[in-house]
Short mmCIF file of all heavy atoms in Angstrom, two decimals:
data_model
loop_
_atom_site.label_atom_id
_atom_site.label_comp_id
_atom_site.label_asym_id
_atom_site.label_seq_id
_atom_site.Cartn_x
_atom_site.Cartn_y
_atom_site.Cartn_z
N LEU L 7 -0.75 -8.83 -1.52
CA LEU L 7 -0.62 -7.68 -0.58
C LEU L 7 0.72 -7.06 -0.77
O LEU L 7 1.76 -7.76 -0.75
CB LEU L 7 -0.75 -8.17 0.87
CG LEU L 7 -0.43 -7.14 1.95
CD1 LEU L 7 -1.56 -6.05 1.97
CD2 LEU L 7 -0.32 -7.78 3.32
N THR L 8 0.79 -5.72 -1.05
CA THR L 8 2.05 -5.10 -1.25
C THR L 8 2.26 -4.03 -0.14
O THR L 8 1.32 -3.44 0.38
CB THR L 8 2.20 -4.46 -2.61
OG1 THR L 8 1.29 -3.40 -2.80
CG2 THR L 8 2.06 -5.47 -3.70
N GLY L 9 3.54 -3.78 0.15
CA GLY L 9 3.95 -2.78 1.09
C GLY L 9 5.06 -1.93 0.50
O GLY L 9 5.44 -2.07 -0.65
N ALA L 10 5.57 -1.06 1.34
CA ALA L 10 6.56 -0.02 0.87
C ALA L 10 7.77 -0.65 0.17
O ALA L 10 8.38 0.03 -0.70
CB ALA L 10 6.99 0.79 2.06
N GLY L 11 8.10 -1.86 0.47
CA GLY L 11 9.28 -2.49 -0.13
C GLY L 11 9.17 -2.64 -1.63
O GLY L 11 10.19 -2.61 -2.32
N ILE L 12 7.93 -2.76 -2.19
CA ILE L 12 7.82 -2.89 -3.62
C ILE L 12 8.16 -1.59 -4.34
O ILE L 12 8.53 -1.60 -5.52
CB ILE L 12 6.44 -3.46 -4.06
CG1 ILE L 12 6.53 -4.07 -5.50
CG2 ILE L 12 5.32 -2.36 -3.99
CD1 ILE L 12 5.30 -4.86 -5.88
N SER L 13 8.02 -0.50 -3.62
CA SER L 13 8.33 0.83 -4.23
C SER L 13 9.70 1.34 -3.88
O SER L 13 10.14 2.40 -4.33
CB SER L 13 7.29 1.87 -3.82
OG SER L 13 5.99 1.48 -4.27
N ALA L 14 10.44 0.56 -3.05
CA ALA L 14 11.77 1.04 -2.58
C ALA L 14 12.69 1.26 -3.77
O ALA L 14 13.42 2.26 -3.83
CB ALA L 14 12.35 0.02 -1.64
N GLU L 15 12.71 0.33 -4.76
CA GLU L 15 13.64 0.46 -5.87
C GLU L 15 13.18 1.51 -6.87
O GLU L 15 13.87 1.82 -7.85
CB GLU L 15 13.82 -0.92 -6.54
CG GLU L 15 14.55 -1.89 -5.65
CD GLU L 15 14.41 -3.33 -6.08
OE1 GLU L 15 13.44 -3.96 -5.62
OE2 GLU L 15 15.25 -3.80 -6.87
N SER L 16 11.98 2.06 -6.64
CA SER L 16 11.56 3.23 -7.45
C SER L 16 12.02 4.51 -6.70
O SER L 16 11.67 5.65 -7.17
CB SER L 16 10.04 3.21 -7.62
OG SER L 16 9.64 2.05 -8.33
N GLY L 17 12.71 4.37 -5.62
CA GLY L 17 13.24 5.53 -4.89
C GLY L 17 12.38 6.04 -3.78
O GLY L 17 12.65 7.09 -3.16
N LEU L 18 11.20 5.39 -3.50
CA LEU L 18 10.34 5.88 -2.43
C LEU L 18 10.74 5.19 -1.13
O LEU L 18 10.89 3.97 -1.07
CB LEU L 18 8.91 5.57 -2.79
CG LEU L 18 8.39 6.34 -4.03
CD1 LEU L 18 6.92 6.06 -4.25
CD2 LEU L 18 8.68 7.84 -3.95
N GLY L 19 10.86 5.98 -0.06
CA GLY L 19 11.33 5.42 1.21
C GLY L 19 10.34 4.45 1.83
O GLY L 19 9.13 4.59 1.68
#
Side-chain angles (χ1 to χ4, degrees):
L7 172 69
T8 64
I12 200 170
S13 297
E15 291 163 271
S16 296
L18 297 183

